[in-house]
Amino acid sequence: MKIFHLIPADKTVLRLAFPAIASNITVPLLGLCDTAITGHLGSETYLAAVAAGGTIFNVILWLCGFLRMGTTGLTAEAFGSKTAGLVNIIFWRAIGLATLLGLIVITLRNPLLDIFLSIISPGYDVAHAASEYFLICVWGIPPLLITLSINGWFIGMQDTVRPMVISISMNLLNVAASVIAVYGLDSGFAGVAYGTLAANWTGLILSTFIVATYSKRVSLKPNMGTIIHNGGFGKFFKVSSDLFLRSACIMGVSLSVTAIGARMGDLTMAVNTIMLQFFLFFSYFMDGFSFAGEALIGKSSGAKDFTGLRFMSRRLLIWSGIMAILFLIVYFCGSGTITALLTDVESVRNEVSGMSPFLWLLPPVAVWAFIYDGFFIGLTATRRMFITTLIAIMTFGLIVTVGMEIHPFETYPAFGNRLLWVAFLSFLAVRGVGLAIQFPRMVNNMEETKKFTNFA
């Protein structure tokens, strides 16, 4: 007797989610390999420089994440509506915006570097090496942003396999190119950066080839007159700007957790570094279902199939709940073992053990923020996402501020770090619950608008 029977909708969800998860879990492999290569160059300066330079690179990439998300939502909506040529227009608008942003970053690379180094404030040697690393890697940002947009477009077209192939290939190429540059060409520390640069440009070439083969099924011929004058630019830039601001808010909270933890001492900072790995590991899996939500909800929305939209959202929520329960069990039973794999420092292990309840709460609290983000991106309801995130960030700030008034975090780090994680979980909860409350009403309003339009 079958305990759990997969219906066609479940198979569709998993078909989209699993390739996205597979591409996500290669991300830590890349970071691990870069760290391992740099760690054998004979100086701790290089390790610190990769961390600093990589942070600058990742912040820029994170802030430009709207290229992927916005393109996915708009493409999925166009795909569902079956509007001739619209998916082609969105594709080229996304490519154009990615190219423009890439060129802006290259043009402003030196001022951006100065700003970030002033914020990070590394020592002279680390700053010099980090500058070398970033000023090489920055030339790979345009192809990386274009590839990001292409991946978003494919997801919107209900295809996560091609983005998986592109992402995994780029990460493996990055590792191979860095090894060859450092050890084969004897280029030293700069070889790690050249490896990243080579992988980004090779990834764009691979993406272009995949798009060319795909264009036999979907017309992707650029028509500048149609792309520029066909309307829809307002929505395109509104979605992009909302997602940019939302990403900036989320990044602000993430950086605040790290910065406030650092003020409470090296031990607290180390503990939070380990705990955030638990959050990141969960996010690699949940992002897969979020991507599936973006594609499927967007498709149903574009087709004005609100019955299908509600049904698919329920299946996505069920799968998200299953993932949250599985991770809750793993973290409840194995958080100590996982922590031991991440560090052998006894004081850090003991402190993380004392913070275990926060690790257990992470999956059931964070899951709603992930999956409803996918729903709202699919509906291109990005302004609501941004406003909800603003409310969540104010909740985070209020809890931290009140906590500091009660006990200065630097004086009472044990109390301070627990309150910091209460604030972080509250931030996630407000985002998820806030979007969950709005979702049914918004779908009902969209359906009523459709009925009124049809009647008129």
Side-chain angles (χ1 to χ4, degrees):
M1 183 177 67
K2 292 183 179 180
I3 298 175
F4 186 79
H5 176 66
L6 292 178
I7 63 175
D10 295 321
K11 294 177 182 178
T12 301
V13 169
L14 297 178
R15 175 181 61 82
L16 291 171
F18 280 170
I21 293 170
S23 61
N24 285 343
I25 60 179
T26 63
V27 174
L29 171 66
L30 173 61
L32 180 64
C33 289
D34 274 357
T35 300
I37 293 169
T38 309
H40 286 83
L41 292 177
S43 173
E44 68 275 9
T45 298
Y46 295 138
L47 277 172
V50 164
T55 297
I56 301 171
F57 191 82
N58 290 333
V59 166
I60 294 172
L61 184 61
W62 174 266
L63 290 175
C64 292
F66 66 86
L67 289 168
R68 204 281 307 157
M69 293 182 285
T71 303
T72 295
L74 292 167
T75 303
E77 190 177 66
F79 180 82
S81 69
K82 298 182 180 178
T83 304
L86 187 53
V87 293
N88 178 61
I89 292 172
I90 292 170
F91 176 86
W92 288 108
R93 284 178 177 172
I95 296 299
L97 181 58
T99 303
L100 177 62
L101 286 174
L103 294 175
I104 290 173
V105 170
I106 285 180
T107 302
L108 300 177
R109 62 189 181 278
N110 289 317
L112 286 171
L113 177 62
D114 291 340
I115 291 170
F116 280 111
L117 287 180
S118 66
I119 295 172
I120 300 172
S121 299
Y124 175 80
D125 291 338
V126 172
H128 178 75
S131 299
E132 179 185 17
Y133 178 87
F134 174 75
L135 291 175
I136 294 171
C137 287
V138 73
W139 292 96
I141 284 182
L144 186 59
L145 295 184
I146 294 171
T147 303
L148 197 67
S149 298
I150 291 173
N151 284 343
W153 185 82
F154 273 125
I155 295 171
M157 296 294 288
Q158 318 297 297
D159 183 348
T160 55
V161 173
R162 286 178 174 84
M164 176 191 71
V165 171
I166 293 169
S167 297
I168 292 178
S169 298
M170 285 181 65
N171 288 333
L172 292 177
L173 281 167
N174 196 335
V175 173
S178 295
V179 170
I180 292 171
V182 173
Y183 298 111
L185 302 178
D186 198 25
S187 56
F189 172 69
V192 179
Y194 282 120
T196 299
L197 177 63
N200 288 340
W201 280 101
T202 307
L204 177 59
I205 293 171
L206 174 62
S207 301
T208 303
F209 173 77
I210 291 175
V211 167
T213 58
Y214 193 83
S215 64
K216 296 176 182 177
R217 296 168 50 189
V218 179
S219 176
L220 288 175
K221 294 180 180 179
N223 183 321
M224 294 307 297
T226 304
I227 293 169
I228 295 173
H229 301 297
N230 198 55
F233 254 121
K235 184 173 184 179
F236 186 86
F237 283 108
K238 173 184 172 296
V239 167
S240 298
S241 60
D242 288 341
L243 288 172
F244 172 82
L245 293 171
R246 165 196 167 272
S247 296
C249 288
I250 295 174
M251 175 170 290
V253 170
S254 298
L255 293 176
S256 295
V257 171
T258 301
I260 295 171
R263 288 171 55 186
M264 288 185 269
D266 293 343
L267 175 60
T268 302
M269 187 175 182
V271 167
N272 287 348
T273 299
I274 297 297
M275 292 180 67
L276 285 172
Q277 294 305 308
F278 284 80
F279 175 70
L280 289 173
F281 187 57
F282 178 62
S283 74
Y284 294 143
F285 283 81
M286 273 312 304
D287 272 342
F289 290 93
S290 180
F291 290 3
E294 295 171 21
L296 296 170
I297 298 299
K299 176 185 175 183
S300 297
S301 173
K304 308 299 182 186
D305 177 13
F306 297 105
T307 300
L309 190 154
R310 291 188 182 92
F311 177 73
M312 193 58 74
S313 67
R314 287 194 295 270
R315 303 312 297 180
L316 284 159
L317 286 170
I318 288 171
W319 279 105
S320 299
I322 291 171
M323 293 304 298
I325 292 170
L326 288 175
F327 270 86
L328 171 60
I329 293 171
V330 170
Y331 287 176
F332 183 80
C333 299
S335 60
T337 302
I338 297 171
T339 302
L341 291 173
L342 294 173
T343 181
D344 57 2
V345 180
E346 194 65 29
S347 58
V348 175
R349 288 185 185 180
N350 291 337
E351 190 62 29
V352 171
S353 178
M355 299 282 288
S356 291
F358 294 101
L359 298 178
W360 305 338
L361 286 170
L362 264 175
V365 171
V367 63
W368 311 115
F370 280 103
I371 195 62
Y372 276 103
D373 270 1
F375 290 0
F376 275 69
I377 290 171
L379 295 175
T380 61
T382 50
R383 180 58 51 85
R384 289 175 179 262
M385 290 177 65
F386 171 52
I387 293 172
T388 304
T389 303
L390 272 181
I391 296 171
I393 203 172
M394 286 189 287
T395 303
F396 174 87
L398 178 63
I399 294 173
V400 170
T401 302
V402 171
M404 287 182 172
E405 289 295 324
I406 297 172
H407 288 302
F409 285 6
E410 297 92 332
T411 308
Y412 302 93
F415 164 82
N417 203 35
R418 281 159 178 76
L419 197 67
L420 179 61
W421 277 86
V422 167
F424 182 61
L425 289 174
S426 299
F427 167 76
L428 294 170
V430 170
R431 278 177 58 205
V433 173
L435 294 176
I437 292 171
Q438 297 176 69
F439 182 71
R441 185 185 305 171
M442 188 169 61
V443 174
N444 289 338
N445 290 340
M446 292 171 67
E447 188 171 27
E448 289 299 318
T449 301
K450 176 197 172 186
K451 290 178 180 178
F452 177 80
T453 303
N454 291 341
F455 178 76

